Amino acid sequence: MKGFTSKIVHSDRQDTIEHGSLHKPVHATVAYGYEDARDLAAVFQGAQRGFTYGRQVNPTVEALSTKISGMENGLASVCFGTGMAAIGTMLFALLRRGDHFVSSAYLFGNTNSLFMTFETQGIEVTFVDATDSGEVASAIRDNTKLVFVETIANPRTQVAALEEIGTLCAERNLVYVVDNTMTSPYLFQPSTVQASLVINSLTKYIGGHGNALGGAVTEMGHYDWLNFTNIYDTYRGSDPHLWAITQIKKKGLRDFGAALAPEAAHHIAVGAETLALRMDRQCANAQTMAEYLNGHALVERVYYPGLPEHPQFDRVAKLFRHPGALFSFELDSGVDIWEFMNRLQLIIKASNLGDNRTLAIPVAHTIYFEMGPERRASMGIDESLIRISVGIEEIDDLLEDLRTALGQDTG
Ligand SMILES: *Cc1c(COP(=O)(O)O)cnc(C)c1O
């Protein structure tokens, strides 16, 4: 069984099937009881497989973790209550005061905010233009432990030099973290660029239906954690490839407690079954919409990696199955952003991305408002920038909505 979707829909059956159930059941429990107290102790001590307490383990959540490891072709995954919890817990579990890491400057806004918080806690970060691996290389210092990039940055769709940074990290013995949320494992496999750890916000494309929050970290097996001094002795088990993910789960989840609820895990697991089908449709819709707007007189600029003028068009064509399902654009200065947005009838004015429904948001005034005009300008975010997360609606309906919303400006 090799196909991406075959693996997902048959994943739960590879383990013990409870009552023949085709879906992993929702185990709504916090604790797990044992007949023999010695078994309880053995499970706590890691000598025996089993479950202890819901903050770190739950059978429904474990089944989803296994599914995500399969999708990413990784060794093991840990799930969290949100994507932010996955990023924050992973970094807090692996980095210490005095450490430094290099991050792409083109980041999801909340990740940017989190990294600013790290600065106040004695963990330093340097933001660089990660579309160029040379910029990453020149930011590396003696105390650099890790490099963090996203695949396609939201909202301006810059694409990091994923392959070259992978080579650089391998040469310099650095942990390479790739946030694969915007591409999902269906469009891009970070394993092919030697990623050490992969982040997915399950809230977005993997869950897909906008009905559950979740996040995951996956160990890819490429990094030799023998070289990483921040692993506690307790987590230096037999296979060094599993040291970091064990520390993230055992210490990170225990300390910070951002566990994924079993009900949310079930929603996400069901959503994941149609990831490939949804993304084929969403990406095709995005390509057509981006091309339409790109040719429109009232649109100043369109940012979509599927347009030949996009600076990383060739990189995307080489690395990704499709150029993604999200684009952004700037309106002509004569068009009022609020009037345009309020004329949209089908496309919903809402935050979030990766939903089955097409969503639009005026970026500078909402998700990037708090960071202020200077940092916005440094990230290339114009005041008129609108982000569209493309859904699975019929393309004719989507084009009609854009046409109507733009058409009235021509008077
Ligand atoms: C949404 C998002 C996150 C955070 O995920 P949540 O589930 O909303 O916490 C992280 N990275 C990227 C690229 C995202 O788009």
Side-chain angles (χ1 to χ4, degrees):
M1 196 166 55
K2 295 219 173 58
F4 186 81
T5 296
S6 308
K7 275 207 294 193
I8 298 173
V9 297
H10 291 283
S11 167
D12 291 341
R13 298 200 303 123
Q14 304 308 306
D15 202 354
T16 323
I17 305 170
E18 297 158 59
H19 310 294
S21 175
L22 295 189
H23 287 279
K24 184 72 181 180
V26 179
H27 287 265
T29 186
V30 170
Y32 307 85
Y34 292 83
E35 284 300 316
D36 186 335
R38 280 172 293 226
D39 288 334
L40 176 62
V43 170
F44 259 91
Q45 292 165 20
Q48 190 175 310
R49 241 191 121 213
F51 296 89
T52 50
Y53 184 67
R55 188 174 344 103
Q56 279 152 300
V57 281
N58 175 283
T60 314
V61 177
E62 297 280 296
L64 177 63
S65 303
T66 303
K67 206 167 287 186
I68 290 159
S69 298
M71 290 158 81
E72 288 287 6
N73 280 304
L75 292 185
S77 302
V78 180
C79 289
F80 297 86
T82 66
M84 286 314 300
I87 299 171
T89 307
M90 171 201 64
L91 291 177
F92 270 119
L94 295 181
L95 299 179
R96 299 187 188 175
R97 175 184 291 272
D99 286 342
H100 170 256
F101 68 102
V102 181
S103 169
S104 169
Y106 309 124
L107 276 185
F108 175 62
N110 299 355
T111 305
N112 178 75
S113 159
L114 172 69
F115 290 177
M116 296 302 202
T117 303
F118 274 97
E119 284 268 354
T120 70
Q121 303 298 312
I123 295 168
E124 294 176 297
V125 52
T126 306
F127 294 103
V128 299
D129 175 358
T131 63
D132 176 359
S133 63
E135 296 280 316
V136 177
S138 31
I140 295 171
R141 308 181 195 161
D142 288 345
N143 60 341
T144 304
K145 288 282 195 311
L146 172 153
V147 176
F148 186 101
V149 299
E150 294 179 359
T151 50
I152 304 177
N154 140 36
R156 278 277 312 273
T157 75
Q158 298 95 335
V159 178
L162 293 158
E163 268 186 308
E164 296 81 354
I165 298 172
T167 306
L168 175 72
C169 288
E171 283 167 7
R172 306 291 293 270
N173 206 11
L174 296 172
V175 176
Y176 184 24
V177 182
V178 177
D179 183 335
N180 199 25
T181 300
M182 287 283 291
T183 25
S184 88
Y186 180 60
L187 298 190
F188 176 58
Q189 296 267 290
S191 181
T192 60
V193 298
Q194 309 177 68
S196 318
L197 295 166
V198 172
I199 298 284
N200 278 289
S201 165
L202 308 174
T203 316
K204 313 292 173 54
Y205 296 103
I206 292 182
H209 295 66
N211 59 354
L213 291 154
V217 179
T218 303
E219 164 64 57
M220 306 309 294
H222 296 302
Y223 186 80
D224 189 352
W225 296 97
L226 273 164
N227 299 314
F228 198 81
T229 50
N230 291 354
I231 304 286
Y232 295 96
D233 285 344
T234 342
Y235 307 120
R236 293 175 178 259
S238 50
D239 182 358
H241 286 121
L242 296 175
W243 289 1
I245 200 79
T246 304
Q247 182 157 307
I248 291 166
K249 182 172 182 173
K250 293 273 173 74
K251 185 151 177 62
L253 261 182
R254 180 176 63 217
D255 291 359
F256 297 104
L260 179 65
E263 293 82 0
H266 174 71
H267 279 307
I268 292 163
V270 172
E273 296 187 356
T274 53
L275 174 62
L277 285 78
R278 287 184 278 109
M279 285 220 93
D280 282 340
R281 170 85 156 232
Q282 285 167 291
C283 294
N285 281 351
Q287 181 77 41
T288 308
M289 290 165 80
E291 284 171 8
Y292 167 74
L293 289 173
N294 205 32
H296 201 287
L298 294 178
V299 174
E300 184 70 29
R301 209 172 277 104
V302 180
Y303 302 99
Y304 181 61
L307 297 175
E309 58 265 46
H310 189 283
Q312 290 91 41
F313 177 80
D314 292 334
R315 180 178 291 163
V316 166
K318 179 179 174 200
L319 295 178
F320 302 163
R321 190 190 296 264
H322 306 302
L326 179 140
F327 67 86
S328 58
F329 64 103
E330 292 158 16
L331 290 164
D332 185 87
S333 57
V335 186
D336 184 277
I337 183 171
W338 307 112
E339 287 178 12
F340 166 79
M341 290 207 62
N342 288 343
R343 279 198 296 266
L344 292 168
Q345 296 290 309
L346 177 72
I347 299 173
I348 304 167
K349 293 163 281 280
S351 186
N352 195 19
L353 58 92
D355 197 298
N356 281 334
R357 299 147 193 83
T358 300
L359 311 176
I361 190 161
V363 178
H365 308 274
T366 54
I367 47 179
Y368 285 80
F369 181 73
E370 194 184 302
M371 68 171 60
E374 267 171 42
R375 180 107 177 94
R376 277 202 296 275
S378 78
M379 295 175 92
I381 294 163
D382 189 87
E383 302 299 295
S384 81
L385 192 72
I386 295 172
R387 183 187 81 188
I388 307 265
S389 168
V390 180
I392 60 171
E393 299 94 334
E394 277 72 18
I395 186 62
D396 290 346
D397 292 329
L398 292 168
L399 289 177
E400 177 61 25
D401 205 30
L402 290 177
R403 198 175 291 129
T404 313
L406 280 166
Q408 290 170 8
D409 278 290
T410 54

